[in-house]
Amino acid sequence: MDSGKDGNGAQDALPPPPPVPPNVVPLKVDSSAAEPLKKKPARVPIARRGFASKGQKISLLTNHFKVNVTGADGHFFHYSVSLSYEDDRPVDGKGIGRRVIDRVHETYESELGGKHFAYDGEKSLFTVGPLPQNKLEFTVVLEDVSSNRSNGNGSPDGNGSPHESDRKRMRRPYQSKTFKVEISYATRIPMNAIANALRGQESENSQEALRVLDIILRQNASKQGCLLVRQSFFRNDPKNFIDLGGGVLGCRGFHSSFRTTQGGLSLNMDVSTTMIVQPGPVVDFLIANQNVRDPFSLDWAKAKRVLKNLRVKTSPSNTEYKITGLSEKPCKEQLFTLKQRGRDDNGEPQMMEVTVFEYFVNHRRIELRYSADLPCINVGKPKRPTYFPIELCTLVSLQRYTKALSTLQRSSLVEKSRQKPQERIGILTNALRNSNYDAEPMLRSCGISISKDLTQIEGRVLSAPRLKVGNGEDFFPRNGRWNFNNKKLVEPTKIERWAVVNFSARCDIRNLVRELTKCGGMKGIHIDPPFDVFEENPQSRRAPPVVRVEKMFEEIQSKLPGAPQFLLCILPERKNSDLYGPWKRKNLSDYGIVTQCIAPTRVNDQYLTNVLLKINAKLGGLNSILAVEHSPSIPIVSKAPTIILGMDVSHGSPGQSDIPSIAAVVSSRHWPLISRYRASVRTQSPKVEMIDSLFKRVSETEDEGILRELLLDFYTSSGKRKPDQIIIFRDGVSESQFNQVLNIELDQIIEACKFLDEKWSPKFVVIVAQKNHHTKFFQNGSPDNVPPGTVIDNRVCHPRNNDFYLCAHAGMIGTTRPTHYHVLLDEVGFSADDLQELVHSLSYVYQRSTTAISVVAPICYAHLAASQVSQFMKFEDTSETSSSHGGLTSAGPVAVPQLPKLNESVSSSMFFC
């Protein structure tokens, strides 16, 4: 209605419109003109059609705790909060909000009708039932507001104040501050929306009501001085810290959030780990971070980047500040102007230039042992620096470290943070008891009580699919694993025109080639002797990686009669070799040569078999296939031409805002097989999750999108058949993006199909796979992980939507993380059993290993293709810059660099294996 008024208001200045004949409604014509452009109503995820029953029943526990709600007939009232200083400037200091609202709550309890708040720390506040008035204004005073943050992101004791004498000397402009707080009514949310969601009727209200409950949990953690990271909470307790090296600690905490499930409302609690900066003296952190012996070897430009925006406490006053930079000069040379006590002849205060070192040693009588020759820490504004000697500054605890971890740090984190199932159960039940949610006043006023025991559920264990290997032999995997001892590959290739390339690695190449040939023969792969072994010229070892690769190729071209079929490349480093990207690019993009990189440490039969599995798949062979592929008797899939797609987008690490994201789509070929795939990879704008190049019309007859390439390949490799069924597995999207997958990505795929043939209407199945969730399963009364093939589609699954959890793999260490599959669309009409069986089978067709994997193979291949092709173009490495420099780097959209195209001779191979 308001918009109508605005419209009329805007037209006051114009002449009256011409008279409209009674049978014409201009606005209607306008909207109906736009109507044909509007597609049919937006797709939403489908509802569950039934439960599956195949498999052996198994009793399980899950880390969901049952929640009872008694006050379901009330309302949450949502108020918007606006905070400003006395002079009406809005408060921008992050985190001060919680302290201000706590003070409002203490000071004005009666004006607020004794209500408890749930405050999100920013602009939203919720109560159970209304406040006495729709708009309330308060003024509160907070003592000692420096850059203190006790919103739980700071240290709980983060408000120590400087000594009075120090305070005067430091001329702090802010001992106490006055804040104006305006709380105004925004809307109300019925609590019964939660009950409706449990009956499968989700709405905006139910999502909001659950958000309020999650905000209550965040607030509860914040009051206990925790660091909050979305729905995970981390206490300041050194017992929870794991040293990862480089000045980075892993901090163990808990995730807790409310979920609507078939079994009712539940609290999902899990162990969670985040990275924090090593608290303590700034110098100690920098020495660890740069891995140097003493502060005099530090790279200060690097130090400045890594310290920016971190918070320190300074001694002796124990005041907290945010670091804004470092001084240009060392402490003993950095001057500043000090006001003297006396006055000059004009009555002006006397000024004196003094060095920071001199001031602290002579005026403040503080002994400095090593700061004289090091830069000072600046905590002031750009125009008004405030310097402290570095040894007086200590980093506050619980500050997140948001840059990418190194390979070593990551493996250390994984190793030190994993827990066996029983250990995890114990930690979680203790955490729930210690969280004291029963005493949380907001939860009590909603009538919420939380069970102390893990929920008991029933799962099913699907039996492993039968596999086929060479010589027509069948076998069943045991415990999600198998091997090729005394077995031949189902489709072995020949390795004929090939050579070995050695980039200065220490390696007995003759022995390696002999053992590889012998092992290949036992698996059915015939390997000719290599044409030559190319050793890198020792002079080239110091050259940049691209130059080393170029030189090696010049050597190969001068000696080989023609292009080889295959190159075996020996690299000097096992992980993260700088040569890997340039070498792969040269082979796959420039020359179309299949290549396998190795960095052998222990050359034994197992190692060589694994290498040969990869080589065989890359050269077009198959290692093993499902027996139902061979016969072909896969329900639904074998009956009509079916293409299976795996889609994924990988992004740069958190600190890199300007590195393009990489979209990869893999597709099955040679129907009725579901074990052979090819990949198409493109770049797109940084951090964009939806794939934008599935359909890319460049003219009336040309489409340069990913899908066209894959569909044409399926057509030619599957006996000139178009797929009647397209099964899409999408990785890496959250529930809030499901509708985009269904309406943006799927529309592009349909357009790509129609562009190839207007009359062609394949049926679609869209399934999202999620690994990034917090539901875990445990065997009741057993210390082991759940067996491979465990599937759950009841109790903890969605009240309405079609989802299930599957642990296809054998969890050997830690606690198994199930994959959560969401079936968003099924036009084909799979039964629950057939679909779960297909997903389970697709965990057994991964050609690189002899184990069932945790997520379907097409998705794993999409990951591999994206990470390998991303190495082709080493984007400018910005991992050093802090994530605070993130965001858009320049005005307007930046052109995304395109990836080099794969050479035609390898583009349809499994080069990513």
Side-chain angles (χ1 to χ4, degrees):
M1 284 165 75
D2 290 350
S3 59
K5 275 188 226 155
D6 293 347
N8 296 346
Q11 285 176 357
D12 282 351
L14 301 172
V20 178
N23 60 339
V24 177
V25 187
L27 277 174
K28 280 278 162 55
V29 174
D30 236 319
S31 63
S32 66
E35 212 55 43
L37 297 177
K38 271 197 172 160
K39 291 260 161 55
K40 53 189 177 305
R43 300 179 192 93
V44 293
I46 60 167
R48 187 186 303 281
R49 293 178 185 147
F51 294 93
S53 57
K54 272 190 186 166
Q56 197 170 354
K57 291 193 165 52
I58 182 172
S59 174
L60 301 171
L61 295 171
T62 178
N63 57 341
H64 284 242
F65 297 87
K66 188 155 178 42
V67 176
N68 284 316
V69 188
T70 50
D73 46 1
H75 283 81
F76 288 121
F77 279 69
H78 177 185
Y79 294 86
S80 54
V81 175
S82 130
L83 304 177
S84 53
Y85 297 110
E86 264 178 309
D87 56 5
D88 292 330
R89 276 182 308 125
V91 173
D92 53 355
K94 205 175 170 196
I96 196 85
R98 286 192 192 273
R99 289 181 60 197
V100 173
I101 293 296
D102 282 350
R103 181 55 56 88
V104 166
H105 196 252
E106 288 162 24
T107 317
Y108 298 100
E109 197 177 357
S110 56
E111 287 87 333
L112 296 164
K115 288 271 179 220
H116 290 291
F117 290 166
Y119 176 53
D120 72 350
E122 303 208 356
K123 293 197 161 52
S124 293
L125 181 146
F126 301 88
T127 57
V128 176
L131 291 174
Q133 283 164 304
N134 277 353
K135 192 163 187 181
L136 292 157
E137 290 182 12
F138 302 108
T139 305
V140 290
V141 177
L142 282 190
E143 292 74 40
D144 180 48
V145 183
S146 57
S147 66
N148 273 341
R149 285 172 62 177
S150 61
N151 67 331
N153 293 17
S155 53
D157 52 346
N159 39 13
S161 59
H163 301 299
E164 200 51 45
S165 59
D166 281 349
R167 201 183 240 175
K168 283 189 188 120
R169 190 172 290 127
M170 284 152 59
R171 298 192 317 284
R172 278 279 143 262
Y174 36 63
Q175 278 85 53
S176 65
K177 270 207 173 142
T178 304
F179 295 89
K180 292 202 256 180
V181 182
E182 199 175 280
I183 297 175
S184 43
Y185 171 76
T187 182
R188 62 185 195 160
I189 305 153
M191 284 189 209
N192 66 7
I194 296 174
N196 293 343
L198 293 170
R199 287 196 294 271
Q201 299 157 4
E202 271 196 340
S203 62
E204 222 166 285
N205 272 339
S206 62
Q207 286 162 0
E208 279 297 293
L210 286 174
R211 188 169 83 91
V212 176
L213 295 183
D214 283 343
I215 286 168
I216 296 171
L217 297 183
R218 279 174 64 83
Q219 176 172 281
N220 179 55
S222 159
K223 289 204 163 110
Q224 296 172 38
C226 292
L227 161 67
L228 313 179
V229 183
R230 292 183 292 278
Q231 281 303 125
S232 295
F233 318 125
F234 303 93
R235 287 175 192 279
N236 187 14
D237 179 354
K239 285 206 299 288
N240 298 336
F241 298 165
I242 316 160
D243 189 2
L244 304 179
V248 182
L249 306 181
C251 176
R252 200 169 71 195
F254 298 96
H255 165 94
S256 62
S257 64
F258 287 98
R259 314 276 310 170
T260 49
T261 68
Q262 289 168 31
L265 190 63
S266 70
L267 178 73
N268 177 206
M269 270 195 93
D270 195 18
V271 178
S272 180
T273 306
T274 192
M275 269 51 73
I276 60 169
V277 170
Q278 173 187 309
V282 170
V283 160
D284 292 359
F285 163 70
L286 290 175
I287 287 171
N289 183 253
Q290 296 187 21
N291 195 17
V292 293
R293 300 235 315 267
D294 55 52
F296 305 103
S297 324
L298 287 167
D299 170 343
W300 289 101
K302 211 170 171 184
K304 184 176 175 177
R305 285 200 299 268
V306 83
L307 289 176
K308 190 168 165 62
N309 291 333
L310 290 177
R311 297 187 322 282
V312 285
K313 278 195 169 173
T314 57
S315 64
S317 66
N318 208 26
T319 313
E320 195 177 305
Y321 300 96
K322 185 188 277 185
I323 299 178
T324 51
L326 297 174
S327 60
E328 296 294 318
K329 296 177 176 161
C331 187
K332 64 177 187 202
E333 294 170 26
Q334 183 65 51
L335 292 166
F336 73 102
T337 312
L338 181 66
K339 265 188 192 167
Q340 295 292 89
R341 287 241 166 91
R343 303 199 168 249
D344 63 12
D345 301 341
N346 304 332
E348 293 291 318
Q350 283 182 334
M351 298 297 194
M352 172 176 139
E353 290 278 290
V354 350
T355 67
V356 175
F357 183 80
E358 202 183 336
Y359 169 72
F360 276 92
V361 172
N362 299 336
H363 292 249
R364 301 279 299 276
R365 304 272 182 267
I366 296 169
E367 184 195 351
L368 296 178
R369 289 171 304 130
Y370 57 80
S371 294
D373 296 308
L374 304 177
C376 307
I377 298 282
N378 179 11
V379 298
K381 299 267 188 310
K383 296 269 190 314
R384 283 192 55 186
T386 305
Y387 295 118
F388 283 97
I390 199 160
E391 70 190 82
L392 300 184
C393 300
T394 54
L395 287 161
V396 171
S397 191
L398 293 186
Q399 299 192 72
R400 281 186 78 194
Y401 179 84
T402 54
K403 296 169 192 64
L405 293 181
S406 70
T407 312
L408 279 170
Q409 286 172 325
R410 178 165 290 138
S411 59
S412 171
L413 173 70
V414 169
E415 196 179 318
K416 292 174 177 171
S417 59
R418 53 179 170 232
Q419 295 153 333
K420 290 240 173 289
Q422 292 301 327
E423 187 189 349
R424 191 174 281 245
I425 290 177
I427 288 170
L428 289 176
T429 42
N430 278 340
L432 183 62
R433 291 201 171 92
N434 296 340
S435 65
N436 207 9
Y437 287 144
D438 290 346
E440 165 59 52
M442 275 296 286
L443 289 179
R444 287 174 71 171
S445 50
C446 311
I448 280 182
S449 60
I450 300 167
S451 158
K452 296 285 186 289
D453 301 314
L454 285 92
T455 302
Q456 209 163 343
I457 59 167
E458 192 176 78
R460 291 168 292 111
V461 182
L462 302 178
S463 46
R466 195 160 46 118
L467 298 183
K468 238 185 178 20
V469 286
N471 296 341
E473 199 185 326
D474 286 10
F475 67 94
F476 282 99
R478 294 183 54 181
N479 195 29
R481 313 176 80 77
W482 63 97
N483 62 51
F484 279 105
N485 297 348
N486 311 320
K487 297 185 188 76
K488 292 208 167 6
L489 307 182
V490 71
E491 270 186 40
T493 48
K494 281 186 176 163
I495 304 179
E496 292 163 332
R497 303 181 320 280
W498 72 290
V500 182
V501 170
N502 182 18
F503 281 102
S504 308
R506 286 210 182 104
C507 178
D508 179 350
I509 292 176
R510 284 177 59 182
N511 179 51
L512 175 73
V513 170
R514 190 173 59 245
E515 292 299 314
L516 191 70
T517 308
K518 188 170 114 192
C519 185
M522 290 165 70
K523 305 287 174 275
I525 299 176
H526 172 75
I527 305 177
D528 281 350
F531 184 87
D532 205 343
V533 174
F534 296 96
E535 292 280 0
E536 183 175 39
N537 182 337
Q539 261 86 53
S540 304
R541 284 171 62 178
R542 298 268 178 275
V546 178
V547 176
R548 291 173 72 180
V549 169
E550 289 289 348
K551 289 230 183 308
M552 187 62 88
F553 256 92
E554 284 165 19
E555 170 97 348
I556 294 168
Q557 280 172 311
S558 70
K559 292 203 176 152
L560 286 186
Q565 175 206 17
F566 170 70
L567 288 174
L568 182 67
C569 170
I570 305 170
L571 295 174
E573 306 93 358
R574 254 192 86 215
K575 289 264 191 227
N576 296 351
S577 170
D578 288 338
L579 291 158
Y580 183 85
W583 173 257
K584 286 285 185 188
R585 177 176 181 160
K586 199 82 184 148
N587 279 273
L588 297 173
S589 184
D590 297 1
Y591 291 102
I593 299 168
V594 173
T595 174
Q596 175 63 50
C597 294
I598 58 173
T601 41
R602 282 200 313 271
V603 177
N604 54 23
D605 192 57
Q606 179 67 57
Y607 177 79
L608 293 170
T609 301
N610 288 344
V611 170
L612 283 164
L613 292 179
K614 288 156 68 76
I615 295 172
N616 191 50
K618 287 176 181 180
L619 288 171
L622 278 172
N623 303 327
S624 61
I625 61 171
L626 303 168
V628 287
E629 271 180 281
H630 183 260
S631 49
S633 55
I634 307 168
I636 295 186
V637 172
S638 299
K639 291 201 170 47
T642 303
I643 186 171
I644 296 176
L645 303 178
M647 308 195 332
D648 181 45
V649 177
S650 54
H651 308 289
S653 52
Q656 306 169 318
S657 59
D658 46 0
I659 287 191
S661 292
I662 294 193
V665 183
V666 304
S667 62
S668 61
R669 47 207 308 268
H670 289 245
W671 176 82
L673 291 182
I674 56 171
S675 288
R676 266 212 176 99
Y677 292 84
R678 63 159 289 162
S680 180
V681 185
R682 307 283 169 91
T683 47
Q684 59 185 39
S685 304
K687 305 282 185 275
V688 171
E689 185 51 60
M690 289 301 119
I691 301 177
D692 63 11
S693 50
L694 294 166
F695 174 64
K696 223 175 189 174
R697 183 174 176 162
V698 286
S699 74
E700 287 302 304
T701 54
E702 282 177 286
D703 160 22
E704 289 181 355
I706 292 176
L707 247 282
R708 179 187 179 90
E709 182 185 321
L710 302 178
L711 292 169
L712 289 174
D713 173 80
F714 179 88
Y715 181 74
T716 50
S717 71
S718 305
K720 298 224 175 331
R721 291 187 189 87
K722 288 185 207 125
D724 294 340
Q725 298 167 165
I726 299 182
I727 300 176
I728 299 162
F729 286 96
R730 178 67 161 95
D731 187 35
V733 290
S734 61
E735 280 152 61
S736 61
Q737 295 166 315
F738 286 177
N739 288 343
Q740 287 173 282
V741 171
L742 276 177
N743 294 290
I744 298 173
E745 289 187 342
L746 184 56
D747 273 351
Q748 279 191 65
I749 293 171
I750 291 169
E751 278 189 73
C753 294
K754 292 288 183 201
F755 198 75
L756 279 166
D757 178 354
E758 188 57 46
K759 296 191 192 70
W760 175 36
S761 297
K763 291 179 172 169
F764 289 94
V765 177
V766 180
I767 300 172
V768 167
Q770 288 178 334
K771 291 288 295 270
N772 207 358
H773 59 82
H774 287 279
T775 297
K776 300 281 191 301
F777 299 106
F778 309 93
Q779 281 201 63
N780 206 347
S782 161
D784 298 330
N785 267 311
V786 296
T790 300
V791 63
I792 295 97
D793 62 2
N794 57 29
R795 286 301 293 271
V796 289
C797 290
H798 196 278
R800 170 193 174 273
N801 297 356
N802 188 355
D803 65 330
F804 60 93
Y805 291 91
L806 174 65
C807 305
H809 64 301
M812 307 311 279
I813 42 185
T815 305
T816 300
R817 177 186 296 209
T819 299
H820 192 182
Y821 290 100
H822 302 259
V823 185
L824 304 188
L825 180 68
D826 175 11
E827 297 176 340
V828 173
F830 275 95
S831 70
D833 276 314
D834 284 347
L835 195 60
Q836 289 174 18
E837 199 74 71
L838 174 67
V839 170
H840 184 225
S841 297
L842 282 169
S843 305
Y844 279 82
V845 300
Y846 189 58
Q847 298 296 309
R848 285 168 39 124
S849 73
T850 53
T851 59
I853 52 174
S854 64
V855 68
V856 289
I859 281 179
C860 278
Y861 289 147
H863 280 302
L864 289 173
S867 66
Q868 187 167 128
V869 177
S870 67
Q871 301 278 331
F872 282 16
M873 42 196 316
K874 271 288 189 202
F875 302 110
E876 184 186 357
D877 185 15
T878 49
S879 56
E880 291 302 334
T881 55
S882 121
S883 57
S884 59
H885 301 183
L888 288 171
T889 40
S890 67
V894 190
V896 177
Q898 292 305 303
L899 289 166
K901 268 199 156 40
L902 289 179
N903 187 292
E904 266 183 23
S905 57
V906 291
S907 61
S908 58
S909 74
M910 291 179 72
F911 68 86
F912 41 80
C913 256

